[in-house]
Amino acid sequence: MLTALKTRFRTWLFRPKIESGTVTLTQRRIFILPTRQGLALAVVLVLMLLGDINYNLSLGYVLTFLLATMAVMSMLHAFRNLAHLEVRAGHTDAVFGGGTARFVLHFYNRGKLPRYRLSLRDDHGNTVSFDMPGQQDSEIIFPMHARRRGWLPLGKLTLYTEFPLGLFHAWSYLHFDARCLVYPKPLADAPLPPGDAPDGAGRRSSAGDDDFSGLRNYVAGDALPRIAWKAFAREQGLQVKQFSAQVGEELWLDMADAPGRNDEDRLARMTRWVLDAEAQGLRYGLRLPDGELPASNGAAHHDECLRRIALFNLPQRATP
Amino acid sequence: MSKALIYGLLLSILMVTAPHADHLPLWVSALCAALLAWRAYLTHTGGELPKRWLLLAITFASVGGILIEFHTLFGREVGVTLLILLTTLKFMELRGPRDAMVLVYLACFIIITNFFYSQSIPTALYLLATLLAIATTWVHLHGQSIPLKPRLRIASVLLLQAIPLMLVLFVLFPRVQGPLWGLPQDAFASSGLDDKMAPGSFIRLSLSEEVAFRVSYAGQPPLREQMYWRGPVLWEFDGRTWTPGATLAPAAPQFTDTTQPIDYSVTLEPHNKTWLFALDVLDRISIPARLTYDFRILHKERVKARLRYEARSHLGYRANLHENERQLRRALQLPPSLNPRARELVAEWRNQTVGNTGGTDDAAVVRAALAYFNRQNFRYTLEPPPLGLHSVDDFLFETRQGFCEHYASSFVFLMRAAQIPARVVTGYQGGEFNELGNYYIVRQSDAHAWAEVWLEGQGWVRIDPTAAIAPGRIERGLSAAVTDFAALPFMARNPPQWMRKLRLNWDTLANRWNQWVLGYDTERQFAFLTRLGMESATWQKMALNMMAGIGLIIALSALFMLRHLLKRRPDKVQAAWLKLCRRLAKAGLRRAAHEGAQCYAARVAAARPELAETIRDLAARYSALRYGTPQDEQMQQEFIKLIAKFRQG
């Protein structure tokens, strides 16, 4: 009964709901409580007051009241440090399993007031601290370890501050619908399946790899040996060597062909295939038990393939 | 822990403990300074903090040292010493923010201990600066990335914002009359007048510029030569030193023919003695005090805090016309066989006065003695030559140089030798008038000793032999009377006018401070609140008012601090654009939430070709104004006008 009431009270007070768009931290959303240090100061102040009374120290009263008032004012400062910030979750790039998802949060500080020592924390103890100058926007990266494939939700974050004196903990909950797509962690090394071209010629010989056709921009997951280090040395950025494939040659990446103990193993292998096929500039198609993607290549195709693999056999909405 | 933070903490602790160096045992000050220097060195070089066993050893050794020094671990002095010592030791194990926080709290606490020793205006200002340093370090602790200047600004703002509420609390917080627990006896050092008088004791006092008390008169102040502030009365003489002697059956004094009443209030600086000062002779006093048989006023306890009292005295009086026989005998006692020449001199006067009038004429003897002082080339000096065993003889016939105690002492000796009851009275005489504050400042240098003789039919009469030698001392003060200026402190000589004025200004301020800030006790609080218009102030009322005041001020501060946040500057451009959108929405072209200006304009243009050009132009302007830089006031006005003129079809 009591727990139910408590839950209802918390629901009423904190209004937990998942939000999208820009959130303004109005005073309804900011909570404030004294910290342990704040309570310790209260004890110190009571001791001081007893001393003042006992020794009749007028200036002691002044000091005690001054400190007490500073503590109260620091509460307003802590509140102001959060108040009327605007927050929006930004786009988060997909990552491979085992990597770090870098959630982007855009903070807008419209007022002239600089905000100091803001911290973001999630329920797993990841913490990011930052300052914000007045009238400036900041992009805060909140890193989170990506373990399993699928959608990694940002979840509920706590934005808090104990500035300026550490006596009060002011906080606000931010629960955005932001999520990060996590691709399966690719196997370290897996040979591509043999070609399955419509003309039946099979996959072209590996010697064809040497037919260099040009450079394209590096995409996460490209094989290291294919990076054009010379171009990188010329400060042209990370580029990947592309090799021409014979027109009409298509490679089908079929889950049924992928060896592995279970689906996850097979998906990890397929991830590696997609990366290698794209790196080699092949035209490749994806065939999963729940559908297929026609053969193609390029960044968009590559991303879509990885996305299908990542989300294979997962409930549609993986957000909690 | 950044180096800057540790230096900040070091500075805070150094500032807060520095005034204590004055009264801490020397070795404790040295140890603390060494520890702080060691910590600063370790921080500078990035060295390892000392091992725990070493710290424990230092702690035990120094606590042992304190135990040997003070013979106890309780009491105020010891407490302060221990607090400072342990705080500096805490520095040696300062590792994390938690330790830093503890140090910050300790620093605040040590500020209070400074007030045991001084609560003057300079101390208050110094400790305010210290508090600012502490607050700046405090902010640093919770915002390590903030540079010094904004940190200092944040701390100052916090401190300044705290002041109004602090004042409300100070005025309205119900004052409880302390102490809550017994004050240790060692709490205060004595200063000022003693109840012993030997040659030289007043000279020491005359060099002190310390304030003994301040007086303000209700009406016309009395003449300067009437300002005799009675202190200890000395009855017994051992040939060198005068002491009060054992108190005999205390009978209440009797005053008759009292005239010239005068009302005044005295603010007495704490002197750790029981006696109070009043003009001769006291009629009534506003605080519980006892008038003794020799007209002294004794407070019920030692005066350990500044004490204010109202009193009424009668300047004209006859005191104890019918004095107790035993008292009169006591007032005649002399050490036998000392000072034979003085006794001879008195005998000679006795013979002369008897010859003239045929009876015992005590008054004539008194006149003869005063005339003797006046004519025999006596000098009033701060540097009298030393006196031998027969101190009165040596003074009267050899050196003839002395200060008030020499004159009072030898005069009373002469009187007693002439069988006239006499006693020494000590206290203060005169004072400096502060025309700014309209009160008199009585300093230690105004300490004085005079005599009282008992004459038949007149009772106890005040005789000031000093007035016979140096009338200037009584009429104008010490500097007017002594010839050897050099021995006096600079300000007691004749300082330039502007300097005197400055000093009086300062004293006025100090007096106000004493009266209103330091002396703000239960009584003053009630009086002040009544004057403010709070009828019949009770502490419940005060508490309520305090709560209301606190609430009001916090609300005002919150409004003031958050005004930037609350006042959302309306964006004229956006307002105009939204107006346009509303109009179009009425026409059935509602802008979707996700639609940007350009997309919306394109949709409107498609739906209403006749508006296409206008809406596209407006959208383009809107985008430019909203997202382009810099902002152009004229373009904004134009845009708003165009929107106002916009008619759909």
Side-chain angles (χ1 to χ4, degrees):
Chain A
M1 176 69 186
L2 205 66
T3 10
L5 267 178
K6 226 164 122 181
T7 318
R8 280 190 62 181
F9 176 70
R10 288 183 74 85
T11 313
W12 170 79
L13 187 64
F14 297 131
R15 299 189 184 169
K17 73 171 195 230
I18 300 170
E19 291 167 302
S20 58
T22 305
V23 164
T24 306
L25 301 182
T26 54
Q27 86 266 25
R28 180 63 186 77
R29 304 182 61 115
I30 297 173
F31 307 97
I32 197 156
L33 275 180
T35 59
R36 195 172 298 182
Q37 288 175 346
L39 297 176
L41 182 72
V43 174
V44 170
L45 287 176
V46 167
L47 287 178
M48 280 183 170
L49 193 62
L50 286 178
D52 301 335
I53 293 172
N54 194 53
Y55 291 100
N56 205 8
L57 297 173
S58 261
L59 284 189
Y61 281 110
V62 171
L63 177 76
T64 311
F65 295 150
L66 203 55
L67 281 172
T69 313
M70 275 172 74
V72 172
M73 289 298 154
S74 88
M75 179 176 76
L76 292 177
H77 279 258
F79 172 81
R80 185 174 70 169
N81 208 27
L82 288 187
H84 287 260
L85 275 181
E86 289 169 29
V87 198
R88 182 172 67 80
H91 173 75
T92 307
D93 289 329
V95 292
F96 288 95
T100 304
R102 292 159 62 81
F103 286 98
V104 177
L105 290 159
H106 297 279
F107 280 82
Y108 306 100
N109 183 8
R110 304 252 186 254
K112 289 202 180 90
L113 196 79
R115 316 294 180 117
Y116 295 108
R117 201 71 191 163
L118 302 171
S119 301
L120 270 174
R121 185 183 59 201
D122 68 0
D123 293 342
H124 308 294
N126 298 325
T127 308
V128 173
S129 291
F130 55 97
D131 291 345
M132 287 191 69
Q135 288 181 313
Q136 237 173 44
D137 304 340
S138 304
E139 194 181 287
I140 305 302
I141 306 289
F142 190 81
M144 202 183 273
H145 184 65
R147 278 190 195 81
R148 285 178 301 129
R149 71 183 171 90
W151 288 113
L152 173 68
L154 176 56
K156 188 172 77 178
L157 294 182
T158 310
L159 177 70
Y160 69 94
T161 185
E162 291 180 0
F163 185 81
L165 298 184
L167 302 175
F168 288 91
H169 182 87
W171 79 98
S172 183
Y173 294 120
L174 298 173
H175 200 162
F176 288 113
D177 57 358
R179 53 187 186 170
C180 175
L181 183 59
V182 182
Y183 302 143
K185 183 177 181 175
L187 281 188
D189 181 38
L192 286 173
D196 188 18
D199 59 1
R203 202 179 154 242
R204 65 185 168 77
S205 73
S206 62
D209 276 3
D210 295 332
D211 299 338
F212 177 74
S213 64
L215 293 170
R216 66 162 171 81
N217 283 335
Y218 171 82
V219 177
D222 277 336
L224 280 184
R226 290 190 177 271
I227 291 173
W229 294 111
K230 282 182 187 160
F232 183 64
R234 287 195 296 271
E235 298 187 358
Q236 292 174 344
L238 268 184
Q239 299 207 311
V240 179
K241 287 177 264 190
Q242 272 195 311
F243 300 92
S244 62
Q246 285 168 9
V247 179
E249 193 175 4
E250 285 182 354
L251 178 66
W252 276 96
L253 308 174
D254 192 337
M255 191 161 164
D257 295 343
R261 273 169 296 145
N262 52 28
D263 277 1
E264 294 305 315
D265 270 7
R266 279 187 277 277
L267 290 171
R269 182 173 296 272
M270 290 190 62
T271 308
R272 168 51 58 196
W273 284 351
V274 171
L275 292 177
D276 286 354
E278 177 67 25
Q280 291 174 20
L282 301 175
R283 281 175 62 79
Y284 55 96
L286 184 75
R287 190 170 293 136
L288 293 170
D290 60 352
E292 62 176 53
L293 281 174
S296 174
N297 68 359
H301 181 61
H302 159 268
D303 289 352
E304 184 55 26
C305 289
L306 288 178
R307 180 187 156 84
R308 287 290 188 91
I309 295 170
L311 298 178
F312 171 69
N313 225 358
L314 288 179
Q316 199 63 86
R317 279 203 60 88
T319 38
Chain B
M1 301 281 298
S2 74
K3 281 186 178 185
L5 180 56
I6 295 177
Y7 289 139
L9 283 168
L10 277 168
L11 178 74
S12 307
I13 294 290
L14 191 66
M15 281 179 82
V16 87
T17 50
H20 279 295
D22 192 30
H23 43 255
L24 285 184
L26 192 63
W27 67 270
V28 175
S29 304
L31 179 63
C32 291
L35 284 171
L36 292 181
W38 187 14
R39 188 64 172 94
Y41 173 76
L42 287 180
T43 312
H44 181 69
T45 57
E48 281 273 306
L49 288 186
K51 293 271 183 296
R52 187 159 284 249
W53 62 264
L54 180 61
L55 286 181
L56 273 176
I58 298 176
T59 310
F60 277 115
S62 42
V63 171
I66 288 174
L67 196 57
I68 293 169
E69 179 99 28
F70 291 93
H71 308 293
T72 173
L73 284 182
F74 298 97
R76 208 182 61 179
E77 305 280 324
V78 187
V80 171
T81 315
L82 277 175
L83 181 66
I84 289 174
L85 196 71
L86 296 180
T87 304
T88 39
L89 276 165
K90 178 78 194 164
F91 248 110
M92 301 313 292
E93 54 159 27
L94 164 62
R95 285 168 219 276
R98 205 195 181 87
D99 297 324
M101 208 62 201
V102 170
L103 275 173
V104 165
Y105 288 177
L106 282 171
C108 294
F109 208 89
I110 296 176
I111 292 187
I112 282 228
T113 62
N114 277 303
F115 298 141
F116 289 144
Y117 303 96
S118 166
Q119 295 195 70
S120 64
I121 299 175
T123 311
L125 291 177
Y126 172 77
L127 290 169
L128 192 67
T130 309
L131 188 58
L132 182 62
I134 293 173
T136 310
T137 313
W138 201 343
V139 171
H140 194 188
L141 185 59
H142 293 282
Q144 302 244 3
S145 51
I146 311 170
L148 178 64
K149 225 165 135 188
R151 224 188 308 143
L152 200 61
R153 194 178 50 78
I154 292 166
S156 319
V157 164
L158 259 177
L159 209 56
L160 286 175
Q161 286 175 337
I163 286 174
L165 189 51
M166 180 273 286
L167 289 177
V168 169
L169 282 169
F170 184 82
V171 171
L172 291 173
F173 185 84
R175 290 307 171 90
V176 183
Q177 201 68 50
L180 300 175
W181 62 88
L183 295 171
Q185 283 302 309
D186 68 343
F188 293 87
S190 305
S191 68
L193 212 57
D194 210 347
D195 57 355
K196 278 200 279 292
M197 186 182 87
S201 49
F202 277 75
I203 294 173
R204 181 180 53 78
L205 277 179
S206 73
L207 300 180
S208 165
E209 287 293 281
E210 233 175 278
V211 174
F213 52 92
R214 296 183 176 84
V215 193
S216 54
Y217 293 98
Q220 187 71 24
L223 297 173
R224 226 190 127 85
E225 50 261 43
Q226 289 174 309
M227 294 181 185
Y228 279 86
W229 297 92
R230 193 183 195 89
V233 177
L234 310 177
W235 291 78
E236 285 184 4
F237 186 49
D238 65 356
R240 183 168 185 83
T241 308
W242 287 88
T243 49
T247 309
L248 291 168
Q254 293 146 7
F255 302 122
T256 44
D257 303 331
T258 49
T259 53
Q260 298 188 58
I262 186 145
D263 291 295
Y264 51 91
S265 71
V266 175
T267 310
L268 180 64
E269 296 291 312
H271 58 359
N272 202 25
K273 303 277 170 47
T274 52
W275 55 77
L276 306 177
F277 297 96
L279 289 173
D280 276 340
V281 292
L282 184 75
D283 180 22
R284 60 162 179 259
I285 186 164
S286 64
I287 55 171
R290 188 163 62 82
L291 191 60
T292 65
Y293 61 95
D294 49 5
F295 326 148
R296 287 172 297 141
I297 307 132
L298 294 183
H299 192 230
K300 60 184 192 309
E301 58 201 18
R302 285 163 181 266
V303 179
K304 286 176 177 168
R306 199 169 283 106
L307 184 66
R308 198 184 132 89
Y309 51 88
E310 319 280 330
R312 162 176 283 192
S313 290
H314 289 287
L315 298 177
Y317 59 89
R318 284 176 196 275
N320 282 7
L321 280 176
H322 309 287
E323 182 62 286
N324 183 324
E325 273 303 312
R326 285 169 68 193
Q327 299 287 6
L328 290 180
R329 275 204 303 282
R330 227 181 129 209
L332 289 172
Q333 279 170 359
L334 279 181
S337 75
L338 282 179
N339 305 313
R341 294 176 67 188
R343 288 171 198 262
E344 276 170 34
L345 180 68
V346 171
E348 199 177 304
W349 290 341
R350 263 286 174 216
N351 290 335
Q352 282 167 12
T353 51
V354 168
N356 289 346
T357 57
T360 53
D361 188 351
D362 292 346
V365 178
V366 170
R367 279 196 300 276
L370 290 177
Y372 181 80
F373 281 129
N374 187 257
R375 297 205 190 112
Q376 296 295 325
N377 204 18
F378 278 89
R379 261 184 66 210
Y380 186 66
T381 173
L382 281 166
E383 290 165 327
L387 303 172
L389 175 66
H390 299 286
S391 59
V392 176
D393 276 4
D394 285 356
F395 172 66
L396 287 177
F397 304 104
E398 308 294 332
T399 66
R400 291 187 176 169
Q401 291 178 36
F403 201 55
C404 58
E405 67 262 40
H406 298 88
Y407 292 100
S409 166
S410 49
F411 180 80
V412 174
F413 185 94
L414 291 172
M415 290 304 110
R416 287 187 176 185
Q419 296 300 306
I420 302 169
R423 60 194 185 193
V424 173
V425 184
T426 60
Y428 296 89
Q429 201 280 325
E432 184 181 14
F433 182 57
N434 187 341
E435 51 276 305
L436 290 151
N438 195 26
Y439 61 89
Y440 281 82
I441 308 163
V442 178
R443 299 177 193 280
Q444 296 302 348
S445 55
D446 294 314
H448 192 49
W450 59 94
E452 264 179 345
V453 293
W454 189 83
L455 300 176
E456 191 71 50
Q458 293 184 57
W460 289 100
V461 177
R462 178 172 62 226
I463 307 285
D464 190 351
T466 308
I469 302 105
R473 162 68 183 86
I474 309 306
E475 286 152 17
R476 293 191 300 280
L478 190 58
S479 61
V482 289
T483 44
D484 39 3
F485 269 177
L488 279 177
F490 177 71
M491 287 308 289
R493 289 176 244 162
N494 274 320
Q497 192 57 31
W498 63 269
M499 215 179 246
R500 207 184 85 83
K501 204 133 202 181
L502 201 68
R503 185 165 80 146
L504 288 182
N505 266 314
W506 176 251
D507 195 85
T508 311
L509 196 65
N511 187 33
R512 297 247 165 88
W513 175 260
N514 289 341
Q515 303 278 345
W516 287 106
V517 181
L518 303 187
Y520 192 76
D521 55 3
T522 319
E523 208 176 309
R524 280 252 145 165
Q525 186 173 37
F526 275 82
F528 180 67
L529 293 180
T530 310
R531 232 173 68 179
L532 274 188
M534 192 190 289
E535 281 163 42
S536 59
T538 60
W539 69 265
Q540 290 96 331
K541 246 188 205 175
M542 273 191 272
L544 275 178
N545 275 300
M546 186 174 77
M547 296 297 172
I550 292 171
L552 182 72
I553 290 200
I554 291 183
L556 283 178
S557 328
L559 266 181
F560 177 76
M561 278 176 64
L562 305 177
R563 68 192 188 284
H564 297 304
L565 302 175
L566 298 175
K567 191 175 64 188
R568 308 222 56 195
R569 196 187 304 130
D571 188 321
K572 292 177 285 185
V573 173
Q574 196 182 15
W577 172 253
L578 290 176
K579 201 162 100 187
L580 177 71
C581 293
R582 276 198 301 277
R583 280 194 199 159
L584 286 169
K586 272 185 208 156
L589 286 164
R590 181 174 295 281
R591 184 174 66 91
H594 64 267
E595 253 177 331
Q598 305 288 349
C599 297
Y600 182 49
R603 193 159 63 85
V604 173
R608 304 279 293 272
E610 75 278 10
L611 291 175
E613 201 169 319
T614 331
I615 190 78
R616 279 209 190 95
D617 173 51
L618 283 173
R621 279 169 186 273
Y622 175 67
S623 303
L625 283 169
R626 277 289 280 174
Y627 309 112
T629 48
Q631 300 266 311
D632 187 341
E633 188 68 25
Q634 201 189 336
M635 269 178 67
Q636 286 185 4
Q637 294 303 332
E638 233 174 77
F639 175 73
I640 292 165
K641 259 186 219 155
L642 281 173
I643 297 253
K645 270 194 265 173
F646 178 81
R647 295 271 180 281
Q648 355 164 345

